[in-house]
Amino acid sequence: MFSPGQEEPSAPDKEPVKYGELVVLGYNGALPNGDRGRRKSRFALYKRTKANGVKPSTIHVVSTPQASKAISCKGQHSISYTLSRNQTVVVEYTHDKDTDMFQVGRSTESPIDFVVTDTVSGGQNDDAQITQSTISRFACRIVCDRSEPYTARIFAAGFDSSKNIFLGEKAAKWKNPDGHMDGLTTNGVLVMHPRGGFTEESQPGVWREISVCGDVYTLRETRSAQQRGKLVESETNVLQDGSLIDLCGATLLWRTADGLFHTPTQKHIEALRQEINAARPQCPVGLNTLAFPSINRKEVVEEKQPWAYLSCGHVHGYHNWGHRSDREPNERECPMCRTVGPYVPLWLGCEAGFYVDAGPPTHAFTPCGHVCSEKSAKYWSQIPLPHGTHAFHAACPFCATQLVGEQNCIKLIFQGPVD
């Protein structure tokens, strides 16, 4: 089944070319209410049957809103930069046969290929939580070359239903030394490319802001400040495997087709789950056998579900003792080593796109209890993700909960069967 951004390939017997996938951080394989149409937790970008990319062509400087409207109503794509009440620069865009364009934003209008809403940390039902979204209706566009190596580039802002991008008087905009206009969106589109690609050896890169025309800038003082950052000439808007895109309310991970080829699959994660369960880990106190619930039942705490003390990593079955205070109901004392800390159910991280390797699930994020491989846990534990308008902190990729503790994750200590 293909969504509007994923047209059926023309030759039915030929594998469609996949440019890559966007995965929304904070979801464990699907949205809480289920994936529907263009609104889902993961979106694949395939080569379109016909190119729909655009490139800048004619520049008009107009003095009345009517003249500006006349140009933007011609049925061609255009970007309007309002400089003052009586001066607007309109840049017309023409068809580009060599690229495919995909648009991301909060709007459900047809130009948006991938509808993204604000992520609520903790993976709760997100419909009731957001009072006012900070994600732009037409947030960004990704342009992919139709020929190898299928380079993908990101640009701030997307074209609306009238094929226009409109930067009003208050938007940050400027004329570059070469005479071309450029600007930033209200809350900005931030991008971070990990150093060393998306592998266990990767290090976090530096967060940058991407302009409407795809240039790279240092961050503004605050998210929506009028003054742009400094141009970073040595960096480009080309996405690489593991690049993070922040839309001020949701963060997306870009995975290339090649990167996904080397990533564990859902089947692989299910096999790891069955392998752990086949080893029959036991509660060291109750001596009952523990088992991770099936991937389809990832919301309901089950009787055999493993729980862990996140200060020490000892894995137990559920029990109701060890409370240390009435004020902190979740502070418990581990019966094995007497360490006091949070005691939570463990959940397997099911979104394969977040794994940097195919190692066994041995580490849990603190304080949420999502479990994945050691290298994946350590990778995400060191990535600063934008939070609000000017804060950054590490978060669990599976539920967006802010991480805490010395390492942000803990090695789990399972006890094997006694017999």
Side-chain angles (χ1 to χ4, degrees):
M1 183 60 204
F2 288 74
S3 75
Q6 303 161 270
E7 296 167 18
E8 203 88 51
S10 45
D13 54 337
K14 219 173 135 196
E15 234 355 71
V17 171
K18 184 194 271 192
Y19 296 129
E21 290 193 22
L22 291 167
V23 192
V24 190
L25 263 58
Y27 299 106
N28 198 8
L31 298 180
N33 299 329
D35 292 347
R36 295 192 193 102
R38 290 173 295 152
R39 197 179 159 210
K40 47 192 154 188
S41 68
R42 189 171 180 155
F43 174 73
L45 283 68
Y46 287 98
K47 186 174 183 177
R48 296 186 187 272
T49 319
K50 279 166 63 183
N52 74 332
V54 292
K55 57 189 175 187
S57 60
T58 322
I59 299 171
H60 306 266
V61 180
V62 295
S63 54
T64 65
Q66 290 81 3
S68 162
K69 203 164 182 212
I71 296 164
S72 58
C73 288
K74 278 167 59 177
Q76 263 179 296
H77 288 82
S78 66
I79 302 182
S80 307
Y81 301 88
T82 305
L83 303 179
S84 65
R85 282 191 183 165
N86 48 18
Q87 192 180 35
T88 300
V89 176
V90 183
V91 181
E92 277 191 87
Y93 278 64
T94 184
H95 177 68
D96 181 2
K97 68 178 188 342
D98 299 320
T99 62
D100 284 338
M101 180 170 69
F102 301 87
Q103 300 208 139
V104 181
R106 181 171 48 89
S107 171
T108 53
E109 290 177 37
S110 59
I112 293 295
D113 298 289
F114 184 29
V115 178
V116 176
T117 52
D118 297 69
T119 303
V120 179
S121 69
Q124 307 133 6
N125 181 329
D126 52 356
D127 285 345
Q129 302 279 332
I130 301 298
T131 48
Q132 199 174 2
S133 176
T134 46
I135 299 173
S136 170
R137 292 171 63 245
F138 301 92
C140 70
R141 56 201 197 279
I142 291 171
V143 177
C144 302
D145 289 347
R146 287 174 64 85
S147 52
E148 290 190 75
Y150 308 119
T151 304
R153 294 176 176 84
I154 184 163
F155 300 81
F159 293 99
D160 63 17
S161 298
S162 60
K163 299 185 178 175
N164 190 243
I165 290 170
F166 180 78
L167 292 173
E169 262 185 88
K170 288 184 180 163
K173 57 193 139 5
W174 59 90
K175 187 183 272 195
N176 282 322
D178 61 3
H180 283 87
M181 293 298 299
D182 203 351
L184 303 174
T185 54
T186 306
N187 288 330
V189 172
L190 309 187
V191 171
M192 190 269 274
H193 308 297
R195 293 200 296 272
F198 191 63
T199 68
E200 50 268 43
E201 272 79 51
S202 304
Q203 292 293 314
V206 180
W207 282 97
R208 303 293 195 200
E209 180 159 12
I210 302 295
S211 72
V212 171
C213 294
D215 280 338
V216 181
Y217 287 85
T218 60
L219 301 189
R220 292 178 258 184
E221 277 193 22
T222 58
R223 197 72 194 235
S224 56
Q226 290 287 299
Q227 186 61 41
R228 70 179 186 272
K230 290 189 173 72
L231 179 68
V232 184
E233 294 190 57
S234 59
E235 296 178 25
T236 72
N237 62 337
V238 172
L239 294 174
Q240 59 193 53
D241 194 34
S243 291
L244 288 167
I245 302 161
D246 188 78
L247 305 177
C248 196
T251 307
L252 315 178
L253 171 69
W254 171 255
R255 297 301 315 268
T256 60
D258 184 58
L260 287 167
F261 185 74
H262 297 99
T263 294
T265 61
Q266 203 81 41
K267 276 186 185 164
H268 183 91
I269 293 170
E270 173 60 17
L272 289 172
R273 182 188 78 86
Q274 291 181 8
E275 206 175 300
I276 283 194
N277 291 350
R280 290 171 53 224
Q282 285 196 336
C283 173
V285 178
L287 300 181
N288 48 318
T289 302
L290 308 173
F292 278 99
S294 86
I295 282 172
N296 300 330
R297 295 183 56 79
K298 45 181 185 265
E299 299 307 322
V300 187
V301 178
E302 298 195 348
E303 194 187 347
K304 285 183 160 187
Q305 186 140 352
W307 286 61
Y309 289 88
L310 294 182
S311 294
C312 57
H314 280 113
V315 177
H316 291 253
Y318 179 72
H319 50 241
N320 204 15
W321 65 78
H323 287 283
R324 289 302 299 265
S325 85
D326 295 333
R327 281 177 312 178
E328 292 287 343
N330 205 24
E331 288 287 298
R332 302 275 196 97
E333 183 179 270
C334 172
M336 299 294 287
C337 66
R338 298 284 186 220
T339 306
V340 176
Y343 172 65
V344 300
L346 298 176
W347 304 96
L348 202 57
C350 304
E351 177 47 75
F354 297 147
Y355 281 73
V356 298
D357 72 336
T362 55
H363 283 62
F365 289 108
T366 56
C368 59
H370 277 105
V371 179
C372 62
S373 69
E374 176 181 7
K375 286 175 175 173
S376 300
K378 288 187 172 171
Y379 177 79
W380 288 105
S381 293
Q382 61 172 347
I383 297 288
L385 297 171
H387 179 70
T389 52
H390 49 262
F392 288 82
H393 59 60
C396 170
F398 302 106
C399 69
T401 298
Q402 182 174 347
L403 300 181
V404 296
E406 278 178 46
Q407 306 289 323
N408 289 336
C409 63
I410 186 91
K411 183 179 183 357
L412 297 171
I413 304 165
F414 288 94
Q415 177 164 309
V418 194
D419 48 75

